[in-house]
């Protein structure tokens, strides 16, 4: 069984970060280990003033213990990192704990809607650029991709502008790229990703009632990691993960609870167990 460590915050309420990653990776057949970056009473979008406990010092203690017992990982999957210190720590963690031939996946969680998330300053972007240079796969949303590429954010994107963003991300050292949450026009949203022949693949999905469900990127990237660790090609993994995420959105869109609770991915996990 392949062993994946997911580096995520623990948001106690709201289905995102590790509460999405752990069940999704398990359904993909991965032994999943958690390295927690922060503890929050709820995630930061919609639940009011959440609590926040930085776990940087504990991350270092955990890594020291793991090193003493010889743990290593087939995949290191990094999501929310709360500070520049954590990005630097994870860069060293990759060197110390990834098996030869293992996979590094970086979801550079920084912002959305053209803005940085609270708690972050602009210097975090440059540190994340350096970390993405060590990745086999990066999965920024369009806001994060523009920040990493140093290209101004806008609402809708031509394929020419997307190509410019990809060229800038390649220059960081990223090998395989998928950009999520791209608005192509008023009615569609979707993904751009690297095809095996160097071309850019595009996946367009219906834009659901102008609602962006919290945790969608976490659901997508976790499924992508699981699919890739099964040995699927990158483009195939992207397409399957996009299909899974769209199923989750379709089911959630019929419910009445607020968007910030996240996707009802639990109702779609059979897609992952059957799609091998």
């Amino acid at each position: 069984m392949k062993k994946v460590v997911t580096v995520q915050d623990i948001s106690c309420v709201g289905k995102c970060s590790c509460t999405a990653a752990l069940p999704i990776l398990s359904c993909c057949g991965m032994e999943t280990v958690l390295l927690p970056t922060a503890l929050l009473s709820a995630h930061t979008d919609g639940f009011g003033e959440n609590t926040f406990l930085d776990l940087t010092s504990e991350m270092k203690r955990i890594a020291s213990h793991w090193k003493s017992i010889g743990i290593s990982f087939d995949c290191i999957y990094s999501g929310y990192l709360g500070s520049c210190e954590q990005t630097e720590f994870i860069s060293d963690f990759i060197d110390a704990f990834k098996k030869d031939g293992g996979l590094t996946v970086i979801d550079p969680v920084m912002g959305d809607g053209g803005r940085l998330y609270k708690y972050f300053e602009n210097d975090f972007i440059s540190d994340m650029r350096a970390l993405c240079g060590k990745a086999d796969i990066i999965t920024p949303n369009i806001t994060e991709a523009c920040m990493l590429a140093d290209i101004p954010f806008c609402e809708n994107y031509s394929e020419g502008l997307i190509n410019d963003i990809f060229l800038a991300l390649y220059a960081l050292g990223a090998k395989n790229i998928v950009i999520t949450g791209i608005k192509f026009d008023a009615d569609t949203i979707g993904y751009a990703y690297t095809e095996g022949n160097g071309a850019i693949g595009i996946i367009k999905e219906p834009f659901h009632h102008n609602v962006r469900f919290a945790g969608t990127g976490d659901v997508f990237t976790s499924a992508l990691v699981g699919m890739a660790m099964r040995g699927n090609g990158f483009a195939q993994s992207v397409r399957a993960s996009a299909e899974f995420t769209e199923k989750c959105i379709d089911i959630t869109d019929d419910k009445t609870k607020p968007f910030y609770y996240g996707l009802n991915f639990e109702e779609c996990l059979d897609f992952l167990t059957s799609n091998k």
Side-chain angles (χ1 to χ4, degrees), residues 76-192:
I76 296 174
Y77 160 29
S78 174
Y80 176 86
L81 302 175
S83 65
C84 292
E85 184 179 2
Q86 287 190 359
T87 64
E88 294 162 5
F89 170 77
I90 292 303
S91 180
D92 294 338
F93 182 89
I94 291 167
D95 296 336
F97 286 91
K98 187 176 74 169
K99 292 181 180 179
D100 290 342
L103 188 71
T104 301
V105 181
I106 305 295
D107 183 4
V109 179
M110 296 187 292
D112 203 359
R115 297 183 299 276
L116 279 170
Y117 292 134
K118 66 178 181 179
Y119 305 122
F120 290 143
E121 303 292 340
N122 285 329
D123 58 352
F124 187 76
I125 299 173
S126 59
D127 277 50
M128 189 58 77
R129 287 184 183 125
L131 186 60
C132 286
K134 302 185 79 164
D136 299 295
I137 298 172
I138 63 171
T139 63
N141 64 32
I142 186 60
T143 291
E144 294 153 351
C146 288
M147 290 174 178
L148 293 169
D150 199 20
I151 290 175
F153 174 82
C154 63
E155 287 298 325
N156 296 309
Y157 290 82
S158 66
E159 292 192 18
L161 183 53
I162 291 169
N163 186 66
D164 291 342
I165 295 171
F166 268 85
L167 290 175
L169 296 180
Y170 279 132
L172 300 177
K175 302 175 184 66
N176 295 287
I177 302 163
V178 54
I179 303 174
T180 67
I182 302 173
K183 283 287 272 106
F184 295 103
D185 52 54
D187 299 318
T188 59
I189 192 167
Y191 309 82

